Amino acid sequence: MSAQTSIPFDPTTPEQRANPFDVLELARREQPVFYARALGLWVVTRHEDVLTVLKDHRTFSSAGALKSSSTPHPPEVREVLAEGCPAMPYIIELDPPLHDRIRGLVARAFTPRRIDELAPRIEQIANELIDALAPRGRADIVDAFAWPLPLRVLGELFGFPSEDLERIHHWGNDWLLLQQERPVARQLEHARGLVELQRYCVAAVEERRRRPTDDLLGALVTANAGAEEPLTTEEVAGLPLDLMVAGHVTVTRAIGSTLFRTFSEPALRGHLLDPTLAPKAIEEILRLESPAQGLFRVTTREVELGGARLPEGARVMAHFASANRDACVFADPDAYQPERDDIGAHLAFGKGIHFCIGAPLGRLELRNALPLLLRRLPGLRRGADPPQREPVFFARGFTSLPVEWDV
Ligand code: HEM
């Protein structure tokens, strides 16, 4: 099949940001792997093919997994980046063997026990945030809750002072936005933000080397010091950077998307308030909404996939959200059915060697925070102002979601 496409895929338009699903359904039916010329990307839409991409990391390299723009940064932006750590590796963008060494270190320090210990703190932080807003009767729930909750949880996990979190949040956004097409002036701003974040993380690693701590970063530094082949400071510092960003933007989006769905899916509210059903409801919303709609790979050789021939060096988008609505795997894929048997096949957390390392923490946060929010803000409903959708085209969520409740 030729690279010519008749699939009108453009997730940067407001229409497709609101509803990316119809065009993806058309693609799965007519041209399951197609070339999106405007984005310079081969988009992989069927569940089976997305799995092939995720499981074959030799053919589909993660180098540039977050980079959605094919245009290199202009020299003035590279100059700014050179002042930071331009070679800092991020686990999400690495291939083996470095990927496995870094992931192995995370596995030694980011243990199930450390995650379980966070449960009471998640509830406490959620309650503190709700205490502050409950009497108001209205809020932008993204600003007041969906951002600060996961950010504070991660801040505690890593031992970052709460007064630094706002800055980390903005620098993290700079890192993500730098991966997209942006005007040069904005790219310069984002590059400066990323450099600040890199320096902050390097300083935090060095500090823990001097004075060991019990937090996750301290545990990573200690485990690394005892490793047979220790990682460099920059290699370790890439971890808090990656985890702080990957771990809060996704949970923020999941909270916003789930709340938004309660406004149009009356059963969902009751399911979230029922402790036996809430985990299933959350999993089903992750399938339907897919906070990470897709991420990127680069082919290391020419390869055939889904009837298309991809050249070596092709940029590929593994479309998790499309795979998650593939009727070959999920019966009645667009319907919200929390009791479905096929839910275990969803790819909202990816698959293979890059499977989300924070999935247990993400689930714990959602299972604690969403029922609490609905219980403590009775009659939660859409506010008068329109919601604003996330600008990052490979993400799904809200940057603003005005809501009201009964006081
Ligand atoms: C609802 C919440 C979340 C969603 C939907 C989500 C989604 C994903 C997806 C789809 C991937 C696979 C990336 C790929 O294949 O290229 C991934 C990887 C990753 N996630 Fe999450 N994530 C969530 C929460 C978290 C949290 C809470 C953390 C950190 C505490 C986290 C840290 C990471 C990291 C570090 C990776 C890269 C792993 C690797 O490359 O080996 N995520 N996530």
Side-chain angles (χ1 to χ4, degrees), residues 151-167:
L151 196 61
R152 281 206 207 167
V153 170
L154 286 166
E156 291 214 359
L157 187 67
F158 279 105
F160 291 150
S162 53
E163 59 274 18
D164 292 350
L165 296 177
E166 182 85 26
R167 291 191 288 163

Side-chain angles (χ1 to χ4, degrees), residues 28-47:
R28 286 194 300 276
R29 227 176 333 117
E30 298 202 345
Q31 207 179 347
V33 176
F34 67 89
Y35 186 65
R37 188 166 305 282
L39 299 167
L41 278 175
W42 291 83
V43 185
V44 181
T45 60
R46 281 189 186 159
H47 191 278

Side-chain angles (χ1 to χ4, degrees), residues 258 261-262 265-273 281-282 285 336 374:
T258 310
R261 265 194 105 96
T262 62
E265 195 86 61
L268 174 58
R269 183 187 304 254
H271 296 165
L272 290 169
L273 288 167
I282 287 167
I285 298 301
Y336 164 74
L374 292 172

Side-chain angles (χ1 to χ4, degrees), residues 338-351:
E339 302 270 20
R340 58 170 66 246
D341 310 329
D342 42 31
I343 190 65
H346 84 70
L347 301 178
F349 290 111
K351 200 67 158 189

Side-chain angles (χ1 to χ4, degrees), residues 17 98 256 270 272 310 320 337 363 402:
R17 283 230 292 278
L98 185 55
L272 290 169
L310 281 56
F320 311 127
Q337 293 175 352
R363 287 181 168 127

Side-chain angles (χ1 to χ4, degrees), residues 54 62 65 90-94 99 103 106 110 150 154 157-158 216 239 242-252 254 286 290-292 295-297 320 347-363 365-366:
L54 297 181
S62 277
Y90 309 113
I91 183 169
I92 203 162
E93 296 197 304
L94 291 175
H99 172 268
R103 179 126 183 169
V106 182
F110 194 28
L154 286 166
L157 187 67
F158 279 105
L216 176 61
L239 275 171
D242 203 342
L243 269 89
M244 282 300 292
V245 178
H248 88 282
V249 295
T250 43
V251 174
T252 303
L286 288 172
S290 303
L295 284 168
F296 308 97
R297 299 291 190 268
F320 311 127
L347 301 178
F349 290 111
K351 200 67 158 189
I353 64 167
H354 291 279
F355 180 80
C356 178
I357 219 161
L361 176 60
R363 287 181 168 127
E365 290 178 271
L366 297 172

